[in-house]
Amino acid sequence: MPKPVEVSCQKQERESVPKREDVRRKETMTFKGEPVVVQGTAVASPYDHSTPAPSGAATGQAASDPAQHGEKQETRCRDPIFAFLLYGNVAAIVAVAGIYGTAAFNQSLDEATSGSNYIGYIIAAVILGIIALVLAGLTLPILMCMPAALIKVSLVGMIILSGAMVVIAFMNGSIFGGIIGAIFFLVFLCYAKAVWSRIPFAAVNLLTACTAIRKNCGAIVIAYFMTALTFAWAVLWTISLMGVWEEVVTKNCVGTQSECLAQTSSVNYGYLFLLFLSLFFTEQVIQNTTHVIVAGTVGGWWFSNEGGCCSAGVMGSTIRALTTSFGSICFGSLLVAILQALKALANSARNNENQIAICIAECIIGCLESILEYFNKWAFVYVGLYGYSYIEAGKNVIQLFKNRGWEAIIADDLVGNVFFFLSLAVGLLCCAIGAAFNDKTQFFVEYAPAPGNVQATCAGIGFIMGLMLTSILMSTIASAVNTVIVCFAEGPAEFEANHPELSQKMRATWLEFYPSSGV
């Protein structure tokens, strides 16, 4: 095995203080065929296991103990049966839409657009969408310039919003609602006080994630493409639903239209569950595929310093997510989709008897769904980084939370507030721009819209466009933040070698709270 590159301790003692930093950076440089050396100790990379890591590395247990970090898996398809289940699901929906749904959809579309021209609204949506994309893009440099300030503002904003809701509830005479709101207001105050000291670490996580995404902007393009794919799937599923409704309900109905609607309570819940499962299964797969691609991309940037719009990290992660890791993505997505379908089914049965039992069941299912979604968010980071199967990735998640889990949860919640407020701000800006359109705007004069308030409709379109497009970008950065937390827990040596300035910031903020952690 090649000898690690080391720096003499005696020579370090003779150097001046500015030179010590240069020596430290040289210690962490990685040469081809040589292991990473940090503080005079060779450390193996999770992405290159040709070099074994000796025990007791000075960079921390997570980076030196092979049992504490992941290893890149051999290239083969994992959990393939679940990928075939997704293929069957998509094929079934396409078949139902083609056989039963097309005629029903065209009929409904003709009835809805009879005597109206929506071209003006389509033009307005395109214009507002372009504006929203520009504004969403501007949030990235803002996040990088002032991450700590934005986290603080978002925390204060949550407190102000909860306080405003208390005031509104009491002003409207809702005593019970005001008391509940006051309890949440106090909870937010206690939460802000408890996590305020953790803001620097969350801020540097956010800065690192934004840097990784900016260096690999192709991940953002993929995220927007996946969103368009989700929209196309929603349209296809709606056409299928209309076809099933026409075949199962309308054709078997006897009587007037109002009587037919009254008979819908007897709809077959088996059909309904399968339709809901189909919808949520594919949506979850698309969403989690984006998450895995971003995780792999950030991992490539972290461990190998890969960058560029179509970098090897972006392309390699995309290929892995759509091939060898696709079954694992479908596995975790199916579990969440089952819970979502059961929850939607319970919600659709609210008009029936046993309201209390249905409400309790819906609450329990919702809690399980939230837990599993949070678990998946971290499990898919390991799928994207190392190519684990879903079960193996889950085991690594459990190990992560045993080591540094609570810090991960706090950092994740703090940056989540920032993403929400930025998305809301862009949505409101686009709403204001949309409100500037009216029935005297040129394209509305030429293409007369359906009767209604043009100004309010365009404002609504602007808000939806701004909120949706910014949320897509924010979700990409959120995935990057989760990946950064995992990578920092597992590979601080590689981070020091490839990105020394960011590494120093993360180490400094971590050591403020855990001086004995050894990072």
Side-chain angles (χ1 to χ4, degrees):
M1 183 184 73
K3 293 183 178 180
V5 180
E6 299 185 355
V7 178
S8 171
C9 294
Q10 294 180 352
K11 183 179 179 181
Q12 284 186 347
E13 292 297 326
R14 293 195 299 267
E15 296 287 353
S16 61
V17 174
K19 294 288 185 68
R20 286 177 183 267
E21 197 66 31
D22 294 334
V23 171
R24 186 178 181 183
R25 291 190 183 182
K26 289 179 182 179
E27 287 182 317
T28 59
M29 291 181 63
T30 306
F31 297 93
K32 187 174 181 181
E34 297 179 335
V36 179
V37 175
V38 180
Q39 302 296 331
T41 306
V43 181
S45 165
Y47 269 41
D48 180 11
H49 296 280
S50 59
T51 304
S55 59
T59 57
Q61 189 179 12
S64 60
D65 185 358
Q68 295 284 326
H69 61 61
E71 295 184 355
K72 191 171 183 180
Q73 303 298 292
E74 62 177 337
T75 303
R76 63 181 179 85
C77 292
R78 287 170 171 78
D79 305 316
I81 183 65
F82 298 98
F84 287 113
L85 287 177
L86 178 75
Y87 300 147
N89 168 52
V90 174
I93 290 297
V94 170
V96 171
I99 297 172
Y100 301 110
T102 307
F105 180 76
N106 290 334
Q107 180 181 351
S108 299
L109 190 63
D110 291 339
E111 292 175 357
T113 59
S114 178
S116 303
N117 192 331
Y118 288 93
I119 295 179
Y121 286 127
I122 295 174
I123 296 174
V126 171
I127 294 173
L128 291 170
I130 294 173
I131 294 173
L133 279 174
V134 173
L135 292 176
L138 292 176
T139 61
L140 190 58
I142 293 174
L143 281 170
M144 297 182 68
C145 289
M146 52 180 81
L150 288 174
I151 293 174
K152 292 177 182 178
V153 169
S154 67
L155 270 178
V156 174
M158 292 296 292
I159 296 172
I160 293 173
L161 282 178
S162 60
M165 292 181 68
V166 173
V167 174
I168 292 172
F170 281 122
M171 288 179 63
N172 291 333
S174 177
I175 305 299
F176 180 74
I179 293 173
I180 297 297
I183 293 173
F184 277 101
F185 176 74
L186 293 175
V187 169
F188 278 127
L189 276 178
C190 294
Y191 174 76
K193 186 176 184 297
V195 302
W196 196 266
S197 61
R198 302 300 199 269
I199 288 177
F201 184 67
V204 75
N205 280 335
L206 182 57
L207 174 62
T208 304
C210 290
T211 303
I213 293 299
R214 183 172 60 85
K215 294 290 186 180
N216 296 272
C217 57
I220 300 175
V221 177
I222 292 174
Y224 281 117
F225 171 78
M226 290 296 185
T227 303
L229 193 61
T230 302
F231 177 77
W233 168 252
V235 172
L236 180 65
W237 182 86
T238 302
I239 295 173
S240 301
L241 176 64
M242 295 176 71
V244 172
W245 184 272
E246 181 74 20
E247 288 294 318
V248 176
V249 177
T250 307
K251 284 189 177 181
N252 297 327
C253 177
V254 178
T256 62
Q257 184 176 4
S258 59
E259 292 173 342
C260 288
L261 290 174
Q263 296 175 20
T264 57
S265 59
S266 61
V267 67
N268 190 316
Y269 283 100
Y271 286 124
L272 202 57
F273 173 75
L274 290 176
L275 284 168
F276 281 140
L277 181 61
S278 175
L279 172 67
F280 296 130
F281 184 21
T282 306
E283 283 186 348
Q284 280 288 318
V285 168
I286 296 173
Q287 174 185 327
N288 292 327
T289 299
T290 305
H291 182 36
V292 169
I293 291 172
V294 172
T297 300
V298 174
W301 173 83
W302 185 284
F303 291 109
S304 305
N305 200 15
E306 296 170 349
C309 181
C310 298
S311 65
V314 175
M315 301 306 296
S317 299
T318 304
I319 293 171
R320 288 194 302 272
L322 296 177
T323 53
T324 55
S325 295
F326 194 63
S328 300
I329 295 171
C330 294
F331 189 178
S333 301
L334 179 60
L335 297 179
V336 175
I338 291 172
L339 293 175
Q340 288 180 324
L342 289 172
K343 184 179 177 181
L345 203 63
N347 187 50
S348 65
R350 277 184 174 272
N351 294 328
N352 297 341
E353 298 178 356
N354 301 320
Q355 291 286 317
I356 297 177
I358 292 173
C359 184
I360 293 173
E362 190 174 1
C363 182
I364 294 173
I365 293 170
C367 291
L368 292 174
E369 176 194 345
S370 299
I371 294 171
L372 188 55
E373 281 184 334
Y374 197 85
F375 177 85
N376 278 357
K377 180 165 60 175
W378 297 97
F380 286 134
V381 170
Y382 282 93
V383 172
L385 284 175
Y386 306 116
Y388 282 114
S389 66
Y390 178 72
I391 298 297
E392 288 298 320
K395 293 178 181 178
N396 280 277
V397 171
I398 294 172
Q399 188 62 44
L400 171 71
F401 284 114
K402 282 182 179 179
N403 294 335
R404 296 175 181 175
W406 288 112
E407 203 64 35
I409 292 173
I410 290 172
D412 181 50
D413 285 344
L414 287 174
V415 298
N417 293 333
V418 176
F419 298 151
F420 168 74
F421 276 100
L422 281 176
S423 300
L424 185 63
V426 173
L428 291 174
L429 280 174
C430 292
C431 176
I433 295 172
F437 295 143
N438 53 55
D439 53 6
K440 294 182 181 178
T441 304
Q442 181 59 41
F443 47 80
F444 280 120
V445 172
E446 186 175 354
Y447 303 106
N453 190 328
V454 171
Q455 205 167 16
T457 303
C458 288
I461 292 173
F463 179 77
I464 292 172
M465 284 288 183
L467 185 69
M468 181 183 69
L469 293 176
T470 309
S471 296
I472 294 168
L473 176 60
M474 295 299 106
S475 67
T476 305
I477 299 174
S479 298
V481 169
N482 295 332
T483 309
V484 165
I485 293 171
V486 173
C487 289
F488 183 65
E490 298 202 339
E494 292 80 2
F495 191 40
E496 175 74 14
N498 294 318
H499 312 283
E501 293 183 5
L502 288 171
S503 175
Q504 291 304 311
K505 290 181 180 179
M506 290 194 73
R507 287 171 183 266
T509 53
W510 183 267
L511 288 172
E512 285 182 21
F513 309 109
Y514 303 99
S516 61
S517 63
V519 295

